[in-house]
Amino acid sequence: AKPGEVLGAIRKQSILQYSAPSFMGKLVNNKKFMPLLFLFPAVLFAIVLSAAGTFSMPEGDIVFSKFFPIHIIQALFIPALAFGSMVGILGVMKFWKDMKQAGGAASGDLKGSVIETITDVVSHKKFKDCGINRDRYSAHLLVFYSFVALGIATGLGVLYIDILHIESPFSFSGISDGAPVKIFGLIGAIGLLIGVFLMVINRFKNAQKVGIGSYFDWLLITIIGVVMASGILSWLTRLAGIANLAYPIYFIHLIFVFSLFLYLPYSKLAHLFYRSTAICYAKYSKRQ
């Protein structure tokens, strides 16, 4: 087995061991069940929107909130993200406890270790240190900061809608029309497009050295790729006024965003939790 494949298998087993409930980890990481992963949110959305009376093609200008109201998005997506984050945090706590017991590190500079770890994560320093994986540095950095930009756009969207009571869709015409939301959203979308493209290219480019990756790897790339593509396409089809495409694509977009949140602690994305914790412990225990 190639080094990348071995490390990937270890990473996957660690996530399965520390994520709860355990059946969710097995479900997410078994390709036989992949259709169910996306069927669940699709059916959930259909039921909720049908109950709300909006599960149909709205007439007039394309306004996604007429089809999928903002308050319903918040009611579904916030708990999904909270669940994924909480499972990840609880897993990290167990992971840290096990490392301390196995490593025998009684105490250390936790605050300093956390600060150094954050610095390493935001700079992606480890990718630079690895000669074989150095090509992945730009791709991962782009994807990482694209999600940061999209997170800022989402936060600004909440500010405009819930606090300033300015309804979407926003435009680039001015701050009062939600231009910051559009700017950060566009930056994030373009960065994600380039980053995912580079990720795929690098997977094939270094296949002989580190392996092309497993289902565990490609599931996350696929989810992020669909989130990116459907987000861009829903925006473009809205601008073009093609309602028959815009609304279905937006529905698909939300399915995959919801999946990204809900399956966060069970997919490869959970390495944000565990990899960061392992780096922090290495610094805390003076092993790095």
Side-chain angles (χ1 to χ4, degrees), residues 6-18:
V6 173
L7 290 174
I10 294 172
R11 184 187 296 117
K12 175 183 175 181
Q13 289 305 313
S14 297
I15 291 172
L16 289 175
Q17 179 178 346
Y18 290 103

Side-chain angles (χ1 to χ4, degrees), residues 2-282:
K2 297 179 176 66
E5 293 172 338
V6 173
L7 290 174
I10 294 172
R11 184 187 296 117
K12 175 183 175 181
Q13 289 305 313
S14 297
I15 291 172
L16 289 175
Q17 179 178 346
Y18 290 103
S19 58
S22 59
F23 79 87
M24 283 289 290
K26 296 174 182 176
L27 184 72
V28 172
N29 289 288
N30 190 327
K31 60 184 177 182
K32 292 190 300 184
F33 299 118
M34 184 178 69
L36 292 178
L37 300 182
F38 308 114
L39 183 62
F40 167 68
V43 172
L44 175 64
F45 292 173
I47 292 173
V48 172
L49 294 180
S50 295
T54 63
F55 195 48
S56 60
M57 199 79 69
E59 297 181 357
D61 293 339
I62 300 174
V63 179
F64 291 132
S65 59
K66 292 193 298 186
F67 169 66
F68 211 124
I70 300 298
H71 69 276
I72 294 180
I73 289 179
Q74 293 174 339
L76 292 173
F77 283 64
I78 292 175
L81 180 58
F83 170 79
S85 300
M86 185 55 64
V87 171
I89 291 170
L90 292 175
V92 160
M93 292 171 65
K94 291 189 290 183
F95 183 44
W96 182 270
K97 180 181 178 181
D98 286 350
M99 285 192 295
K100 287 193 71 174
Q101 289 180 345
S107 62
D109 181 10
L110 182 59
K111 180 180 178 181
S113 300
V114 170
I115 293 173
E116 288 183 31
T117 300
I118 292 173
T119 302
D120 283 357
V121 170
V122 298
S123 66
H124 278 48
K125 178 177 178 291
K126 295 297 179 182
F127 277 101
K128 285 184 177 180
D129 294 340
C130 179
I132 295 176
N133 274 324
R134 192 170 296 172
D135 288 344
R136 297 185 182 181
Y137 168 75
S138 298
H140 281 76
L141 200 68
L142 267 172
V143 170
F144 180 82
Y145 280 105
S146 293
F147 271 114
V148 171
L150 293 171
I152 293 173
T154 302
L156 289 172
V158 171
L159 171 66
Y160 274 94
I161 294 170
D162 292 339
I163 298 177
L164 301 179
H165 303 294
I166 298 174
E167 296 298 323
S168 62
F170 305 117
S171 71
F172 289 101
S173 58
I175 293 178
S176 61
D177 295 315
V181 179
K182 304 297 291 185
I183 291 170
F184 278 103
L186 185 59
I187 291 172
I190 293 173
L192 208 55
L193 173 63
I194 299 171
V196 170
F197 177 75
L198 290 176
M199 276 187 172
V200 174
I201 293 298
N202 288 330
R203 281 279 169 186
F204 287 98
K205 179 181 176 181
N206 296 314
Q208 293 298 319
K209 296 179 180 179
V210 297
I212 198 171
S214 64
Y215 170 75
F216 179 69
D217 301 299
W218 284 100
L219 177 64
L220 178 60
I221 293 174
T222 300
I223 291 176
I224 293 175
V226 175
V227 166
M228 172 272 298
S230 59
I232 293 174
L233 287 173
S234 62
W235 175 53
L236 292 176
T237 51
R238 181 181 69 81
L239 292 180
I242 311 174
N244 290 335
L245 288 178
Y247 287 112
I249 292 173
Y250 182 64
F251 188 74
I252 292 171
H253 176 67
L254 292 182
I255 287 172
F256 279 81
V257 173
F258 185 86
S259 299
L260 191 69
F261 289 171
L262 186 65
Y263 307 133
L264 165 63
Y266 312 105
S267 70
K268 188 181 177 181
L269 194 57
H271 78 283
L272 282 173
F273 291 115
Y274 298 105
R275 175 62 174 161
S276 301
T277 303
I279 293 173
C280 185
Y281 180 77

